[in-house]
């Protein structure tokens, strides 16, 4: 029996797959989308990659995790994927849309994009000829085969580390942690701009020792990977869980900053100075974020305007 090797589940292709798709049969020139939208790049969230620009966001269908709190479950975990409306595009059409709207990047997002690697790659090849970047917002649950294919064509990723716990991944996501960590390391070590998000769910992954474990893990890779702690809201099969206390999100950020993570940001809570980016040499404000408004003060040479120190932001 033949297996699919796109993700670590290695499903048999003649049986229903975890993702409810048959990506091994994807045609690289026919992309089935569930959503196309224009978003600020900061929404991904990517705070250190071409800031204050719009990105063309592409959603497809399916996911290789079964997260109980999935906010996009209607396209990631539909009851019947055949009934979900889709629209066909060619890679050329997607790139043309980005060109006509002066968007410097295309983001694969909303569901898990890496279950359809051929679609990302075929579009990225054309986008690169027009200096349009490729962004992947991913759960990180990819096989080594898929990572090797993707890394040449992806410019930036945000990897969602759900928790530093195999039990969490097993109980909440029907998956495992190790492949996710492997993805973070693989992307970073191959020069892909990498940011990490952690959604804090009360009673599941918000204990101080769990937050510390994530911080310590990232510090082993680099203290310059931007880290986003975000607030949970009840969703899907976790409607009985209270929203995260905003103070808990702030506390997680403060802990990461105390332990010398250079860039850490809160998400899904009222804005504060903590969502700004500051020079790590002189503390001058580099990027101000307020109510959807972005002020980028970084020089054209990628330096702090105050001390001329090189900044960790891709312009």
């Amino acid at each position: 029996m033949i297996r699919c090797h796109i993700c670590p589940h290695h499903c048999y292709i003649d049986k229903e797959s975890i993702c409810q798709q048959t990506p091994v049969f994807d045609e690289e020139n026919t992309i089935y989308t569930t959503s196309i939208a224009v978003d600020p790049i900061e929404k991904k969230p990517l705070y250190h990659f071409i800031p204050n620009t719009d990105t063309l966001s592409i959603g497809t269908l399916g996911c290789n995790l079964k997260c109980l709190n999935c906010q996009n479950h209607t396209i990631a975990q539909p009851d019947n994927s055949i009934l979900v409306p889709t629209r066909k595009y060619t890679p050329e059409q997607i790139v043309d849309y980005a060109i006509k709207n002066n968007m410097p990047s295309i983001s694969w997002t909303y569901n898990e994009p890496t279950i359809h690697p051929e679609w990302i790659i075929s579009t990225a090849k054309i986008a690169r000829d027009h200096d349009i970047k490729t962004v992947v917002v991913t759960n990180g649950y990819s096989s080594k085969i898929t990572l090797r294919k993707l890394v040449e064509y992806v410019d930036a990723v945000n990897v969602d580390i759900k928790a530093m716990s195999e039990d969490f991944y097993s109980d909440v996501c029907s998956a495992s942690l190790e492949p996710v960590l492997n993805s973070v390391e693989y992307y970073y070590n191959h020069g892909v701009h990498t940011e990490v998000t952690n959604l804090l769910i009360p009673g599941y992954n918000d204990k101080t020792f769990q937050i510390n474990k994530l911080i310590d893990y990232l510090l082993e890779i680099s203290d310059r990977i931007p880290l986003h702690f975000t607030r949970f809201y009840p969703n899907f099969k976790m409607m009985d869980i209270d929203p995260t206390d905003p103070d808990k999100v702030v506390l997680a950020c403060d802990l990461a900053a105390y332990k010398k993570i250079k860039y850490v940001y809160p998400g899904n809570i009222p804005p504060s100075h903590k969502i700004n980016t500051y020079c790590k040499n002189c503390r001058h404000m580099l990027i101000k974020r307020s109510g959807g408004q972005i002020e980028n003060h970084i020089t054209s040479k990628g330096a702090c305007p105050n001390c001329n120190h090189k900044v960790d932001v891709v312009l």
Side-chain angles (χ1 to χ4, degrees):
M1 299 178 73
I2 302 175
R3 290 178 180 265
C4 170
H5 296 296
I6 288 174
C7 90
H9 286 301
H10 301 293
C11 299
Y12 289 107
I13 64 173
D14 60 344
K15 297 182 178 180
E16 185 176 45
S17 63
I18 294 291
C19 67
Q20 300 185 56
Q21 305 295 297
T22 53
V24 291
F25 300 120
D26 282 349
E27 296 180 21
E28 63 178 29
N29 291 316
T30 305
I31 299 169
Y32 292 88
T33 68
T34 55
S35 178
I36 291 188
V38 177
D39 292 320
I41 193 70
E42 286 80 11
K43 187 179 177 180
K44 298 301 104 187
L46 286 173
Y47 277 16
H48 287 240
F49 187 76
I50 49 177
N52 199 24
T53 64
D54 286 333
T55 185
L56 180 61
S57 295
I58 310 293
T60 57
L61 187 61
C63 184
N64 53 1
L65 299 189
K66 295 293 183 183
C67 299
L68 301 179
N69 62 301
C70 181
Q71 66 177 5
N72 289 325
H73 57 89
T74 56
I75 61 171
Q77 300 183 50
D79 292 332
N80 188 339
S81 61
I82 296 175
L83 300 179
V84 178
T86 60
R87 184 172 180 179
K88 290 193 294 185
Y89 289 88
T90 65
E92 290 85 358
Q93 287 173 322
I94 290 174
V95 175
D96 283 347
Y97 190 102
I99 293 171
K100 290 176 181 177
N101 290 276
N102 297 313
M103 281 176 278
S105 65
I106 296 171
S107 293
W108 298 84
T109 181
Y110 302 139
N111 67 312
E112 178 49 43
T114 65
I115 62 174
H116 298 290
E118 296 303 325
W119 295 350
I120 298 172
I121 292 168
S122 61
T123 306
K125 287 178 179 178
I126 300 169
R128 184 166 289 178
D129 291 338
H130 300 276
D131 197 28
I132 294 173
K133 307 300 184 184
T134 295
V135 172
V136 172
V137 181
T138 176
N139 60 33
Y141 205 65
S142 298
S143 69
K144 293 180 180 179
I145 293 172
T146 297
L147 288 173
R148 284 195 293 268
K149 287 182 177 180
L150 283 175
V151 74
E152 182 180 347
Y153 301 99
V154 175
D155 298 290
V157 294
N158 185 298
V159 182
D160 185 3
I161 300 181
K162 311 288 184 179
M164 292 296 291
S165 163
E166 287 289 355
D167 287 343
F168 181 99
Y169 269 89
S170 176
D171 297 342
V172 178
C173 308
S174 299
S176 58
L177 171 62
E178 185 178 357
V180 179
L181 303 185
N182 180 65
S183 291
V184 173
E185 295 163 30
Y186 195 89
Y187 284 124
Y188 181 81
N189 290 333
H190 284 80
V192 177
H193 175 79
T194 303
E195 302 193 23
V196 167
T197 294
N198 178 227
L199 179 72
L200 295 173
I201 306 176
Y204 283 81
N205 66 350
D206 65 336
K207 300 291 189 296
T208 300
F209 81 90
Q210 294 168 310
I211 295 168
N212 262 319
K213 197 170 182 180
L214 173 60
I215 295 167
D216 291 342
Y217 165 73
L218 288 178
L219 284 170
E220 290 178 2
I221 304 171
S222 172
D223 61 358
R224 296 179 183 272
I225 294 176
L227 173 58
H228 304 261
F229 286 111
T230 59
R231 187 187 189 194
F232 164 86
Y233 286 95
N235 216 318
F236 197 30
K237 298 178 180 179
M238 281 189 158
M239 294 299 296
D240 58 332
I241 307 299
D242 290 333
T244 315
D245 184 340
D247 289 342
K248 174 68 75 170
V249 178
V250 172
L251 180 63
C253 291
D254 288 346
L255 182 58
Y258 175 77
K259 299 189 79 168
K260 305 304 182 185
I261 293 282
K262 299 294 186 186
Y263 309 105
V264 57
Y265 304 101
N268 293 344
I269 66 172
S272 71
H273 70 279
K274 291 181 180 294
I275 64 173
N276 300 327
T277 299
Y278 298 90
C279 176
K280 292 306 168 186
N281 185 55
C282 71
R283 299 300 299 166
H284 185 79
M285 185 186 293
L286 300 174
I287 303 173
K288 181 179 180 180
R289 304 177 179 93
S290 176
Q293 300 298 312
I294 311 293
E295 295 179 18
N296 183 3
H297 302 293
I298 300 170
T299 71
S300 59
K301 294 182 179 180
C304 171
N306 185 59
C307 70
N308 207 36
H309 194 268
K310 190 178 185 304
V311 301
D312 298 310
V313 178
V314 178
L315 300 177

